[in-house]
Amino acid sequence: MTTPQSANTNKMAAFLQWRKFVFFDKDTVKDPDDNGKNFLLPKGISASDSGRGHIVLGDMEGKIWLLMRSLQLMSFQAYKLRVTHLYQLKQHSILVSVGQDEHGINPVVKVWNLDKRDSGNPLCTRIFPAIPGNKPTEVSCLSVHENLNFMAIGFTDGSVVLTKGDITRDRHSKTLTLHEGASPVTGLAFRQVAKVTHLFVATLEKVYCYTLSIKEYPKVELDTHGCALRCSSLADPSQDSQFIVAGEECVYLYQPDERGPCFAFDGHKLLAHWHRGYLFLLIRDVKSPNKTCFSSGESSPSDKQLLTIYDLDNKFIAYSASFDDVIDVVAEWGSFYILTRDGKMFVLQEKDTQTKLEMLFKKNLFVMAINLAKSQHLDSDGVSDIFRQYGDHLYLKGDHDGAIQQYIRTIGKLEPSYVIRKFLDAQRIHNLTAYLQALHRQSLANADHTTLLLNCYTKLKDSSKLEEFIKSSENEVHFDVEIAIKVLRQAGYHSHAVFLAEKHMHHEWYLKIQLEDLKNYQEGLRYIGRLPFEQAESNMKRYGKTLMHHVPEGTTLLLKGLCTNYQPSGDAAEKDSLDRSVVNKANSEEFIPIFANNPRELKAFLEHMIEVDPRSPQGVYDTLLELRLQDWAHEQDPERKKVLQGEAVLLLRSDNTVFDKALVLCQMHNFKEGILYLYEKGKLYQQIMHYHMQNEEYGKVVEACKSYGDQECCLWEQALGYFARKEEDCKTYISEVLHHIDQNNLMPPLLVVQTLAHNSTATLSVIKDYLINKLLRENQQIEDDERKIRQYRDETAHLRSEIQELKTSAKIFQKTKCNMCNSPLDLPSVHFLCCHSFHQHCFESYAESEAECPTCTPENRKVMDMLRAQDQKRDLHDHFNRQLRSSNDGFSVVADYFGRGVFNKLTLVTDPPGSKSVGNLEVNLQRDLLIHTKRNS
C-alpha cells in the first residue's frame, strides 16, 4: 500500500529528473528617460493583464494604467475606489474591468473600448453590477471569450455568472447564474474548438466543465481537487487547449470530458500561467513560512518566491529563479515581464533556438535537442543536422546500432556517402545493410547503393532478407531493378535474378540468364512466346540461333507464328484479345540466318510461309529454291528426282524469285530446265543458243535460231560461225542455216564464204546453191537498176526541156475549173505555173502563202524538209569529225552522238510510180536532185 508521503516522494523524484536549463536571459527593465535607473511601476497595483501591444495595470485608487512598449505610462480614472480585476482580450481592443465605485460589497463591471476615446480617455461601452441577484459577494475571477459573446464572473460564494450575447452592450446580452456552490471560485477559462464552446470552472475543492454550445449547458465534474486563486490557466493548441490546474502536489491537465496527464510539481503554488508553450509556476520558497489562505496571491513583504518555467512537451525546466513578492507574470512584445510589489519590472528574453541547441549539444543531450527543435518548428535541415551530430556522438561511443538509427533519420538531407564510409568495415556490415534498406525504402538510392546493398546481403548470406528485398510488391520497389539483376547474376543468385527480371518485365535480362547461365532453353522459348510482338521479334533475332540449335522444332513453330499472325500465349493473350484486328507479322526473310545449320527446319518454315502468304519476300522464294535445287542435285532416286525437279520449276514459274539469284542458283546446280526457262524469260536468246552450243546440241541450236531469230537476226550468223568451226560433218545444219540467211538476206555472200572457209568438212557443194541463188538475185538487181537509170535520164531530159520552155515561151492557162472547188472558173481567178488554177476567194481561203500553190505546197514542203535535213546532217558530220579528232576520249564522243540519234537511218518517202502529177518545175527538180543524191550516197 502506498502512503501519501511515499506518493509525494515519487512525484518529487519525477520532478527532480527534469533537467534544468537557462534558456532565458533575465534583466531589470530600465527607465529610458532617467539615465538608466530602474523603471518603477505605479504604486498599489491590484490587478494586471497584457495584450494588444500594452500591459494593463489597475491600482488601489481606481486608476487603470496602460504601459506602452516605449515604457510610457498612460492612465485614466476607471473607478472611484479601486480596481480589483482586469481582462484584456487578445484579438480585440476591449478591456473588461471589475472594481468598486462605492464602499461596501458592490463590484461593478465595466467594458472599455481602447480604440475609441471619450474626453481623452478610453470609451466605456457598458457598465453593470457584477453580483448575482441581491447577494453581496466579492468577485474572485473573471474570463471573457475572444468572440465577445461570453463573459464569466466567479465569486467567493461559489457562484458563476455568465453573460451571453454582445458583452459590450446591455441590449444584446443577458445574464444568468451558471454555477452555484459552497466553495469559492478560483479560476475560469473558455475553450473554443471548432464550433464547440466550453467553460472550465475551478474552485478550491473541485473542477467542472460546462458545454456552452448546448442549450441546457450540461456540466461535467472533472475532479475533486481544486486550486487556489490565479493557479489555473488554459493551455494553447499545442497542448490541445487543456485546462491547467496547479494543486499543492501536482499540476493537472483537463480535457472537457476527463482528466488528462498530471505532473508532480510540488510546492505551494501562488501563480500559474501558460504563455507561448511554457508553463509558468510561481511557488513560495520553502524557506518562507507556510501560509494557507484563499487569497494566496497576497504575500507578506518578506516572501521569497521561486518562478519556474516548464516545457511540458520536452520535459525540462527552461528557467528558474527567485523573486521578491511577485504581483504577476505577463507576456508581451515577444518577452515575459515579471511585476513585483516593490515597483520593479524584470524582463525574461528567450534565447534563440540555435543557442539553446548548442547548450544541449555541449551536454550531449541530443534527444532533448531533437524534441526541442521539433517543438520550435526548426526546418528539416536543422533537425537533420541534429540527428547527424547525435549519430556521430553514438558512433564515437561505440554504439553503432544506435548511431545507424540516427543516421537513418538524416536520409534525404545528409549525403549517404558520409554514413557509408563509416560502416564499410566488415564487422559493421549489418548496420550498413540497415541504412541502405532505409535509403531504398525512401526511394533515394542510386545504382551504387543498390549494388552495395545486394553485395551486403550476399556477404551476409542472408537469403531471407534478400528475398524480402526483391519480392516486395510493385508499389514498394525503391531500387534500380536492372542494377539489382546485374548484381544478383554476378553473385550467382540466378533464381533471384530471374524472379526479379520476370516480375518487372526486364525481358532481355530474363532470357539472358535463362539461356546463357541456366541453359534452360525450353523455358526461354516459352517465355518469348508470351511476350508482346515487338519484344518477341527482337528476342528471337537475338537468341534464335541458340534456340534453333537446342530446340529446333519448338523454335520453328514459334517462328511460323511470329511471321504470320502472332498472338502471345498465356496471360498476355487475354490482354491482346482486344487487338485481334491488328495483324502482327514479322518479316520472314530476316529470320532465315537462324536456320543456318538446320536446312530441314528451314525448308519446312519457308514452305509454310509461301503457303500461308504467297506474297512473302523474294528472299524466301530464293532460299527455298536453293534448298529444292540442293535436294534435287543430291537425290539418286529417278522418280523422286523428277518430283523435286517439278517443284523447283514450279517455284521458278511463280515469278517471285529474283532473276539474277535464281539464274546463279540454277547454273550452280546445272539445272537445265531452270536455266533455259530463265534465259527465255529474260529474253537472253543468245545465251540459250550458247547453252546448246556448249552442250553440242546441234538440233537445239537450229531450233533456237528458228524460235528467236526474228527477235535477234544475229543468231543465224552466230549459228553459221559455230557450225563452221566444227570439224564434224554438219553439212545438213549448215545448209539449213544458209537457207534462212539467203531468204532473209542476213549476211553478205563474201562473209558467208569467209566464215565457211575455216571448216575442212564444208566443201563447195555446201554453198553451191546459195551462191547460184545469190548471183541470180544480184543480176536481177543490176538489170532493175539500169532500167531505173534510163528512166531517170529520160525524166531529167524532159524536165530540162520544160524548164527551157518556161524560160523562153509564154504559158497559156487553159484550165476551166477551179482545182479547189472543181467549179467553173470565173474572174477574178489565180493561176500558177504548175497549171493549177483557183477562184480568188477559194485561194484566199485555203492558201497559206500568196506565192505558193495550195495543191503543191504539201509535196514541196516534204522536199524542202529533206533538203534542209541533208544540209544539217552535212554540217553535223563536219562538227562531229572535228570534235572526234580533238577529244581524248573518242568513244565517249561517239556514244554521246549515238544517244542523240545522229546515226538514225533517214527514210525517204516518195510518191508511188505513175502517180506523179504535173506540178511546179522547180519543186520537181529539187525532188529529183534529192533522190539522185540519196542514191549516190
Side-chain angles (χ1 to χ4, degrees), residues 115 180 301 330 487 501 528 657 685 738 741 770 876 908 923:
D115 285 342
E180 291 184 340
V330 295
V487 175
I528 293 177
T657 57
Y685 305 126
L738 284 174
I741 291 175
Y770 166 76
L876 190 65
L908 182 63
V923 172

Side-chain angles (χ1 to χ4, degrees), residues 138 191 229 361 422 460 489 565 591 626 631 714 734 739 820 854:
E138 294 284 355
R191 181 181 189 266
L229 269 176
F361 293 156
K422 290 179 176 289
L460 293 172
R489 183 189 183 202
N565 185 12
F591 294 98
E626 183 178 3
D631 292 345
C714 62
I734 292 174
H739 176 71
M820 193 66 68

Side-chain angles (χ1 to χ4, degrees), residues 850-868:
E850 293 181 356
E852 289 185 292
C853 170
T855 303
C856 297
T857 295
E859 187 67 22
N860 294 340
R861 188 167 295 166
K862 287 182 182 179
V863 175
M864 296 303 294
D865 288 343
M866 292 178 188
L867 293 173
R868 280 195 297 271

Side-chain angles (χ1 to χ4, degrees), residues 513-576:
I513 297 170
Q514 287 283 20
L515 300 178
E516 297 178 11
D517 299 329
L518 300 178
K519 310 296 182 184
N520 194 348
Y521 304 107
Q522 194 68 44
E523 176 61 27
L525 187 65
R526 179 197 65 80
Y527 187 82
I528 293 177
R530 295 171 55 191
L531 296 178
F533 171 72
E534 292 81 3
Q535 295 168 351
E537 181 185 20
S538 63
N539 282 292
M540 278 305 295
K541 289 178 181 178
R542 184 172 186 176
Y543 297 106
K545 286 187 179 180
T546 303
L547 292 172
M548 182 61 68
H549 179 71
H550 295 91
V551 196
E553 294 182 1
T555 305
T556 304
L557 186 63
L558 178 58
L559 285 173
K560 287 180 180 179
L562 192 63
C563 296
T564 51
N565 185 12
Y566 177 74
Q567 296 295 336
S569 61
D571 299 337
E574 301 177 3
K575 188 182 299 182
D576 288 354

